[in-house]
Amino acid sequence: MDAGDAAETARLNAAKDFGNVSLVKEVTREMWTFTSLERLWQDARYAVRGLRRSFGFTLLALAALALGIGSTTAMFTVLYTVIIRPLPFPDPDRLVMLWEKSPRSAGQNVVSILNFRAWKERARSFASMAAYNQGPKNLLGGDEPIQITGANVTADFFRVLRVEPFLGRGFASGEEGPSSPRLAVLSHGFWQRRFGGEASVIGRRVSIGGAHHEIIGVLPPDFAFPDRRVEVFTSLRAEYSGRDFQVVARLLPGVGLDSARAEMISIAAVTAAENPAMNAGHSATVTPLHEQTVGRIRPLLQVLFATVLLVLLIACANVANLLLMRALGRDREMSVRLALGAGRWHLAHQLTVESLILAGAGGLLGTVTATWGLRALLATLPADFPLPRVHEIAADSTVLWFAIILCVTIGLLFGMVPVFFSGRGDLSESLRSGGRSVAPRQRRFRQIMVVTEVAVALVLVIGAGLMIRSLLRLHQVELGFHPERVITVRMVLLPGKPTSQTQVVDDILRRLRTLPQVVSASSISIPPMAGVNSATWYYRADLPEPARANRPSGDISIVMPDYFRTMGIAMLMGRDFGDQDRFGGTHVGVLNRTAAQALFGSENPLGKRLTVSWNDAGQVEIVGVVADIRHRNPQSKPEPCLFLPNTQLPFPLASLVIRTSTDPRLLIAAIKGEIHGVDADQGVAGIETMEERIAAAGAQPRVQAWLVAAFSLSALALACIGIYGVISYTVSQRTREIGVRVALGADRLRIFGQILSESLTVASAGIVIGLGASVALTRYMETLLFDLKPIDPAVYTSVAILMLIVTAAASYFPSRRAATVDPVVALRDE
């Protein structure tokens, strides 16, 4: 303008020199504002609107994701809490369990208190060491005496674990042994239930096991060692040599597990040389406390977690197929947007945002469902289900981060599937075809997803089939006794002379037998289906004494007369215990079939004698042989067992077994009345029917079978939905082709058979792959199966046939719809 140009001319020339002003504004705005967030918000709103319009697609995708992510999150919560998370003690990686090793077994064995004293005195690898045992204890006071689970512990017990009481104090040094004061520390739950959570409980005296103890402390709410059933801890006073203790210790800083194990083996060799009568052939071993706590349940949790990961894989394959089919349905839309100048990155961004929103919503729904479902599952587990740390299971920040990472990974991974396939063809061809053509690459991808779903579902259903067949075999196993209408009453007898304890049991049984509904009654030290039994060594007295390290051992059961008849155990030869088997007479015993064969082979054992290491048994004359039973649980094979009469060798544990002519639960009040009629202070640890005990003993295989079956059925349902969806979409894509073929005279039945055959061919490929994968993977289930090999032809064949039937059913309706296409409608639609 200074040079004389008109204002409008000068403005036009300036615009030519500077370029596109609107473009400069957009570039400047992108450089100086948060356009990425704005674009994200725009794409998110567009994605939500699109998902709302495609309600059926959204519902299917959310259901699949919620099922997959929810089940995976729930099982990760259990796996993380029980297996991965450190134990709730300071420096938990330094805590170990010390065990003896018997010369007759490679497993762990309980510890003699004398050996514990030697270990504590001589070991240099440990900062501290404590021994404990647990069992029922009589608690007096209140409306009636009760029996609770208690633990006797040495003074260092809480210091080893570094646990500070919630109230009061723990045991101090020197507060153990026969001359120590009688002290007790309560669990937090027992303190609240029994004493109402009163702080004044400290210093109060309570009668435990027939003796008054002073309460000196209350433990924190989260303390659950050795397990949550222990409600009172008392200082150890006994000094007997029997093997009845477990030992927990804390490693010194810098001491490794291997060096501690080597030192314990060395000390055990010295104690064996010093006391060969007790320790000949015995050694010692060291196991991390974490491994001791979770080792037995780890295989089950790993199998269940692998199962839900496979369910998640099927769910993701379903969602990937759904997203791809949705993207192909929008192929014309994408082509138009590309033709109008939209960048491929922007389209990819939009599709990925849509996938992330879908995965996030599915993950949120799944996590909420997992939280509630996990609570319901844990609430339905039997009280005796062997799941450690069950009270700690809950979602925390780690579980939340796991769910978030899982959702983002799924969203990104499967959001890229339609991005990978979209916009790769010729743009003009896409616009002309209207999105009806399907590239071979896309068809192959969908077929691969179907093969994957079928293969994974087959693996899971085979696993469930093995579990269920194993469970059925377990239910059919012969226990060796008749549990119908038998009730058990567990007791620990009040302290007194052995003869007085025997008299108490005898008097109780005599009174019970007078009840009109009682057929017979007896007692045993540790009842069948308790999971454990007492054991010791015994050998033939008429043969040379075997080396101490090679003495044969077996179970010991202390019973009252009439036990075998009450339990329905067959007497194979000889007699039962009777009134003649009393104190002062010749010690007698009854063997089970396995023990008789192991000790005497084909010889008649009646009248033969055994040397028995049990209290003052000495030599025992065999007066009978009975049939084998499965004592510990239905899965356990019959062990050699020697039955001794309680009338000659009393035992402080007594479990009454009572056979009735009616429902035994109707007699619970009468049974308690007769017990208290003999001894008003005698508590009862538990009253259960034998059928309830059997059900509790088989809880783990039953729960694991139904959990795997539930996940497998979910996987099978997802696989069916996936097959149905893919076949349906394939038919819709081939509508014009089928219409032309029908118009030209093609046979409709042939079209139906062709499409059904194609789907069955794809499914058959998945079945073959799944069978191979099952052979490789089910071997990890071997420890969870009872009397069944992981490769069971009946299960494999049945499941393969089932998968073919299910695949045919899922493919039937789409194939039938294809065969009924109206050619006029199909061609007019084009």
Side-chain angles (χ1 to χ4, degrees):
M1 291 172 64
D2 290 342
D5 290 343
E8 186 63 26
T9 302
R11 187 175 296 107
L12 290 173
N13 290 333
K16 291 178 182 179
D17 291 339
F18 281 99
N20 190 327
V21 176
S22 299
L23 180 59
V24 171
K25 288 181 178 180
E26 290 179 3
V27 172
T28 306
R29 183 169 174 272
E30 289 181 358
M31 293 177 64
W32 292 99
T33 60
F34 296 102
T35 55
S36 57
L37 293 179
E38 184 177 350
R39 184 180 298 117
L40 179 63
W41 175 245
Q42 290 174 347
D43 287 346
R45 288 188 299 168
Y46 184 84
V48 171
R49 289 199 301 268
L51 292 173
R52 288 174 59 187
R53 286 195 301 268
S54 305
F55 183 73
F57 159 81
T58 305
L59 190 61
L60 281 175
L62 284 178
L65 286 171
L67 178 61
I69 295 175
S71 58
T72 305
T73 302
M75 280 311 306
F76 176 80
T77 303
V78 177
L79 187 72
Y80 170 74
T81 304
V82 176
I83 304 294
I84 302 174
R85 182 194 288 168
L87 295 174
F89 302 110
D91 298 325
D93 57 312
R94 310 304 297 167
L95 290 172
V96 295
M97 293 290 294
L98 309 182
W99 300 92
E100 292 192 34
K101 287 183 66 175
S102 167
R104 294 169 296 275
S105 172
Q108 301 167 339
N109 195 37
V110 284
V111 180
S112 160
I113 195 66
L114 300 180
N115 287 337
F116 163 73
R117 303 288 186 202
W119 294 353
K120 187 174 181 180
E121 178 182 346
R122 299 172 183 179
R124 298 293 178 265
S125 298
F126 307 98
S128 51
M129 187 185 300
Y132 65 92
N133 63 9
Q134 67 184 82
K137 290 179 178 291
N138 283 286
L139 182 71
L140 303 184
D143 296 335
E144 65 177 37
I146 61 172
Q147 287 197 352
I148 59 175
T149 300
N152 301 312
V153 302
T154 57
D156 288 336
F157 182 76
F158 298 116
R159 284 191 291 278
V160 170
L161 301 172
R162 295 184 182 173
V163 173
E164 294 295 330
F166 179 78
L167 285 178
R169 66 175 181 88
F171 302 117
S173 297
E175 290 181 337
E176 63 178 85
S179 60
S180 63
R182 298 182 184 272
L183 306 174
V185 176
L186 308 180
S187 73
H188 193 275
F190 183 67
W191 168 61
Q192 290 186 321
R193 290 190 303 274
R194 186 73 177 184
F195 299 98
E198 298 177 0
S200 59
V201 72
I202 303 299
R204 191 179 302 181
R205 297 180 68 80
V206 61
S207 179
I208 302 173
H212 283 86
H213 289 67
E214 180 185 350
I215 299 174
I216 62 171
V218 176
L219 294 168
D222 58 348
F223 183 82
F225 185 84
D227 61 55
R228 208 159 185 81
R229 294 174 299 174
V230 178
E231 296 182 307
V232 60
F233 296 81
T234 54
S235 55
L236 181 65
R237 296 171 54 84
E239 287 288 352
Y240 58 94
S241 60
R243 287 183 164 90
D244 191 32
F245 290 88
Q246 300 176 61
V247 178
V248 61
R250 182 175 289 275
L251 290 170
L252 283 168
V255 175
L257 189 64
D258 291 338
S259 61
R261 189 175 287 126
E263 182 187 36
M264 289 303 302
I265 292 173
S266 175
I267 295 174
V270 174
T271 57
E274 292 174 346
N275 188 359
M278 175 187 294
N279 297 323
H282 280 75
S283 185
T285 185
V286 182
T287 304
L289 181 59
H290 187 273
E291 176 64 26
Q292 189 72 46
T293 304
V294 305
R296 292 185 179 179
I297 202 69
R298 180 184 282 114
L300 171 60
L301 295 185
Q302 288 174 337
V303 167
L304 290 177
F305 190 62
T307 300
V308 298
L309 285 179
L310 294 178
V311 173
L312 178 63
L313 178 59
I314 294 179
C316 290
N318 258 345
V319 174
N321 262 331
L322 289 171
L323 288 172
L324 179 58
M325 288 186 280
R326 174 176 164 81
L328 293 176
R330 299 166 62 190
D331 192 48
R332 182 179 179 84
E333 171 199 339
M334 297 299 176
S335 300
V336 169
R337 295 177 66 182
L338 286 171
L340 294 176
R344 293 185 185 273
W345 162 247
H346 185 78
L347 295 183
H349 186 271
Q350 179 188 318
L351 292 173
T352 303
V353 168
E354 181 177 291
S355 177
L356 285 171
I357 290 176
L358 198 60
L364 180 61
L365 182 61
T367 303
V368 173
T369 305
T371 302
W372 288 100
L374 188 59
R375 290 178 183 174
L377 174 63
L378 295 176
T380 58
L381 287 180
D384 294 335
F385 188 76
L387 181 62
R389 311 180 67 182
V390 64
H391 63 285
E392 300 178 37
I393 296 176
D396 60 6
S397 59
T398 302
V399 174
L400 181 60
W401 277 112
F402 171 82
I404 292 172
I405 293 172
L406 188 63
C407 293
V408 172
T409 302
I410 291 173
L412 290 175
L413 183 62
F414 292 99
M416 296 306 294
V417 170
V419 174
F420 178 77
F421 287 108
S422 65
R424 285 183 165 269
D426 181 74
L427 193 58
S428 60
E429 178 62 29
S430 296
L431 291 172
R432 281 197 302 271
S433 65
R436 295 182 182 274
S437 62
V438 182
R441 187 202 314 268
Q442 299 162 353
R443 187 177 296 112
R444 283 196 300 271
F445 177 81
R446 293 202 302 273
Q447 290 175 343
I448 290 173
M449 290 295 100
V450 171
V451 168
T452 301
E453 292 184 49
V454 172
V456 174
L458 184 80
V459 172
L460 292 180
V461 177
I462 284 178
L466 290 171
M467 288 279 198
I468 292 174
R469 191 166 188 207
S470 171
L471 183 64
L472 292 176
R473 289 198 174 191
L474 186 60
H475 286 166
Q476 296 167 356
V477 72
E478 181 60 47
L479 297 174
F481 60 88
H482 300 293
E484 305 84 7
R485 298 191 303 278
V486 173
I487 194 167
T488 65
V489 184
R490 292 180 290 120
M491 303 183 301
V492 58
L493 301 174
L494 290 168
K497 294 181 180 180
T499 51
S500 65
Q501 291 181 333
T502 300
Q503 190 61 48
V504 166
V505 177
D506 203 10
D507 291 345
I508 291 174
L509 292 175
R510 188 178 298 110
R511 295 178 64 121
L512 289 174
R513 289 167 184 151
T514 63
L515 295 176
Q517 300 91 341
V518 172
V519 176
S520 60
S522 186
S523 76
I524 184 173
S525 52
I526 299 177
M529 302 295 113
V532 296
N533 201 6
S534 300
T536 189
W537 53 259
Y538 37 84
Y539 57 88
R540 291 177 60 164
D542 59 341
L543 295 179
E545 180 179 342
R548 295 184 182 274
N550 298 321
R551 287 176 176 173
S553 65
D555 287 353
I556 287 281
S557 288
I558 310 301
V559 302
M560 289 291 283
D562 214 23
Y563 171 75
F564 305 114
R565 184 173 76 90
T566 301
M567 291 296 295
I569 301 173
M571 179 69 68
L572 303 181
M573 62 174 66
R575 66 174 179 86
D576 193 357
F577 301 121
D579 291 337
Q580 69 272 28
D581 302 316
R582 293 287 174 176
F583 283 106
T586 301
H587 287 171
V588 296
V590 172
L591 293 173
N592 69 350
R593 188 204 305 267
T594 298
Q597 291 178 345
L599 292 168
F600 296 98
S602 59
E603 299 179 44
N604 186 346
L606 298 183
K608 302 289 180 62
R609 292 177 178 267
L610 298 178
T611 299
V612 182
S613 175
W614 179 267
N615 294 343
D616 298 322
Q619 289 197 358
V620 173
E621 179 183 343
I622 303 303
V623 298
V625 177
V626 295
D628 290 335
I629 71 167
R630 296 177 184 264
H631 186 95
R632 287 171 172 78
N633 50 56
Q635 304 97 294
S636 63
K637 294 181 179 180
E639 299 283 345
C641 185
L642 171 63
F643 296 90
L644 299 175
N646 193 63
T647 51
Q648 291 185 332
L649 296 163
F651 197 68
L653 294 179
S655 288
L656 307 179
V657 288
I658 306 157
R659 182 173 292 277
T660 66
S661 59
T662 183
D663 184 352
R665 285 168 292 196
L666 301 176
L667 299 180
I668 291 177
I671 292 170
K672 285 185 175 181
E674 298 300 336
I675 292 172
H676 294 150
V678 173
D679 189 339
D681 293 334
Q682 179 63 57
V684 174
I687 300 180
E688 301 169 287
T689 66
M690 188 55 68
E691 290 173 326
E692 289 172 340
R693 295 187 65 85
I694 295 171
Q700 179 172 339
R702 185 172 63 253
V703 170
Q704 69 192 24
W706 293 125
L707 280 177
V708 173
F711 290 134
S712 301
L713 289 176
S714 302
L716 188 59
L718 285 173
C720 291
I721 293 171
I723 293 169
Y724 177 84
V726 169
I727 302 301
S728 295
Y729 186 77
T730 301
V731 168
S732 68
Q733 291 293 309
R734 298 176 61 184
T735 299
R736 184 173 185 273
E737 171 207 334
I738 295 170
V740 170
R741 291 174 62 188
V742 172
L744 294 177
D747 182 47
R748 294 181 181 273
L749 184 60
R750 185 174 180 181
I751 293 174
F752 170 80
Q754 181 182 0
I755 295 178
L756 183 62
S757 175
E758 290 176 2
S759 62
L760 289 178
T761 300
V762 174
S764 298
I767 290 173
V768 172
I769 295 173
L771 288 173
S774 298
V775 172
L777 295 176
T778 52
R779 60 190 179 91
Y780 295 106
M781 299 173 56
E782 188 166 8
T783 58
L784 304 178
L785 302 177
F786 171 75
D787 195 27
L788 192 69
K789 295 295 183 183
I791 302 177
D792 185 75
V795 172
Y796 277 60
T797 303
S798 302
V799 172
I801 294 173
L802 173 66
M803 287 301 298
L804 277 175
I805 295 173
V806 168
T807 302
S811 307
Y812 172 79
F813 290 104
S815 302
R816 185 172 178 270
R817 188 169 66 249
T820 57
V821 167
D822 187 341
V824 176
V825 175
L827 295 175
R828 183 185 299 127
D829 185 58
E830 286 296 314

